[in-house]
Amino acid sequence: MLKKYYKQISALGTLAILYILVTQINFSDVALVINKIRFEYLLSAFVAYVGLNFSRTYRFYKLLKSRVGFWKVFTISFSHAFINSVMPARTGELAYVYYIKREPNVGFGNNVASLFISRAFDTLVVVLCTLIAVPFILSAIVDKTQVILATFTGGALIVAVFAFFIFWETKVIWLTDFMFGILQLKKFDVGNRVLEKIKEALLSIKDVREPRLFIDTFLSSVGVWMCVYLMAWFVALGFGISISFWGAVFMTGLPALANILPFYTVGNFGIFEGSKSLALVLMGFSKELAISFSFVSHVAEISLFLLPGIISYLILSKASLKK
């Protein structure tokens, strides 16, 4: 019942969080942040975003075993990122699966596995970079013990889950098969078809254990997140927020890790601002400035996705109509 209305619940949750957020925003602070705009930094943020898309495209291109042209994947990546940034409940992820499904040389398992592996490596790199950033910003953090404990505990759990899925996929397959049996889903044809598709995707994950592909995926994921951090840093500087690069890494890491939570909102509004504000407050910024900047920067980052995302979407739609 809840699953049927999940999108509506997500939309209502977004409105509720936005209402709480708006009541906490001092719009004079928002105006102050906007008045400090330096467009050369925002232009640099856009360049970083294009660099991010090159790294992301290379990663997908390798994970898809070069079965889709690099520039086709480049276009898909721009459109996927834009759709994912505005859709509720992470349903925008399905845009990637849909676009790749139209490619005749890529099977369902490789399609879904390439997306799952990308997200798994994203999470791993974010955790590692956040752990690296903590010593650099420790002097600015208010509650040092709590931040260190939470960061290392959360990091250890995420790395353990990453290792479980990437290196012990056969155990995940056994567990999935067992759960389908317990729930008696294997009695139905649709249940068996779903189970086979899940197994196909999980078996495709083992390809990333090949050393060359693992290194390529890891290094391209580092490239993706270096560009994300530079983009966030330039956006902060563009709005007059004095923050170090490692401060930007920590500030960006919390919203990225908050994406793992099972509750999603439209365009990630509310979750993004709350986690980013928390990171800024922990680094000594005032609550009012943290909330105002988090909201403005979220809008700015979605705006960066807008132009290349819409152009890519139209190109892919036109290509689809021709077929």
Side-chain angles (χ1 to χ4, degrees):
M1 184 70 176
L2 284 176
K3 187 177 180 181
K4 182 179 178 181
Y5 297 104
Y6 190 66
K7 288 185 180 179
Q8 292 87 334
I9 294 169
S10 179
L12 288 172
T14 303
L15 291 173
I17 292 173
L18 279 176
Y19 173 76
I20 295 169
L21 180 68
V22 169
T23 60
Q24 296 294 313
I25 291 176
N26 185 332
F27 285 96
S28 62
D29 286 335
V30 173
L32 189 63
V33 168
I34 293 173
N35 285 334
K36 291 181 178 179
I37 287 179
R38 295 182 63 181
F39 288 101
E40 65 271 25
Y41 283 117
L42 297 184
L43 179 60
S44 298
F46 181 75
V47 172
Y49 176 58
V50 175
L52 148 66
N53 202 57
F54 269 105
S55 296
R56 191 166 50 199
T57 298
Y58 177 79
R59 181 175 64 184
F60 280 137
Y61 179 71
K62 287 295 183 180
L63 289 171
L64 292 169
K65 303 174 183 177
S66 308
R67 290 170 179 164
V68 184
F70 183 88
W71 293 108
K72 181 67 174 288
V73 180
F74 186 77
T75 307
I76 288 172
S77 181
F78 264 139
S79 183
H80 167 224
F82 169 66
I83 294 170
N84 204 28
S85 70
V86 296
M87 291 293 287
R90 302 289 291 182
T91 51
E93 296 285 22
L94 296 176
Y96 172 83
V97 176
Y98 168 73
Y99 286 134
I100 299 300
K101 184 183 177 184
R102 298 190 309 191
E103 299 300 317
N105 298 324
V106 182
F108 177 81
N110 190 201
N111 181 351
V112 175
S114 65
L115 181 61
F116 176 83
I117 291 167
S118 294
R119 292 296 174 246
F121 273 83
D122 280 339
T123 305
L124 177 67
V125 171
V126 169
V127 168
L128 293 176
C129 289
T130 303
L131 291 174
I132 293 169
V134 169
F136 290 95
I137 61 167
L138 206 55
S139 59
I141 291 177
V142 179
D143 193 339
K144 294 178 175 59
T145 305
Q146 184 179 351
V147 169
I148 292 171
L149 182 62
T151 303
F152 278 89
T153 303
L157 287 171
I158 290 169
V159 170
V161 172
F162 172 86
F164 183 67
F165 273 95
I166 298 298
F167 296 103
W168 292 291
E169 85 288 339
T170 53
K171 292 180 175 59
V172 179
I173 291 172
W174 178 86
L175 182 61
T176 305
D177 193 276
F178 177 74
M179 291 303 296
F180 267 64
I182 290 291
L183 297 171
Q184 298 187 341
L185 296 174
K186 289 199 263 186
K187 293 195 304 184
F188 307 98
D189 286 340
V190 66
N192 283 312
R193 285 200 296 271
V194 170
L195 179 60
E196 286 307 310
K197 291 296 183 183
I198 292 173
K199 286 181 178 180
E200 185 183 341
L202 289 170
L203 285 170
S204 295
I205 289 172
K206 70 180 181 182
D207 292 343
V208 81
R209 295 208 299 263
E210 191 273 316
R212 179 63 185 271
L213 184 58
F214 189 95
I215 292 169
D216 274 347
T217 305
F218 179 75
L219 291 179
S220 57
S221 298
V222 171
V224 165
W225 282 95
M226 285 301 106
C227 290
V228 170
Y229 296 138
L230 284 171
M231 184 178 73
W233 188 34
F234 289 140
V235 167
L237 295 175
F239 284 108
I241 302 297
S242 181
I243 192 170
S244 68
F245 172 75
W246 290 111
V249 171
F250 184 75
M251 171 188 73
T252 308
L254 263 62
L257 295 174
N259 268 333
I260 300 170
L261 295 173
F263 177 74
Y264 304 111
T265 58
V266 178
N268 206 23
F269 276 100
I271 304 295
F272 178 94
E273 285 78 9
S275 51
K276 196 168 194 175
S277 296
L278 173 62
L280 289 166
V281 169
L282 287 171
M283 289 189 289
F285 290 88
S286 70
K287 184 185 78 171
E288 293 75 19
L289 179 60
I291 293 174
S292 299
F293 169 68
S294 297
F295 181 77
V296 171
S297 66
H298 194 179
V299 174
E301 289 178 19
I302 289 177
S303 299
L304 292 176
F305 302 161
L306 194 63
L307 181 61
I310 289 176
I311 292 172
S312 298
Y313 174 80
L314 292 173
I315 290 171
L316 292 167
S317 297
K318 187 177 180 181
S320 178
L321 288 173
K322 285 183 179 179
K323 290 183 180 180

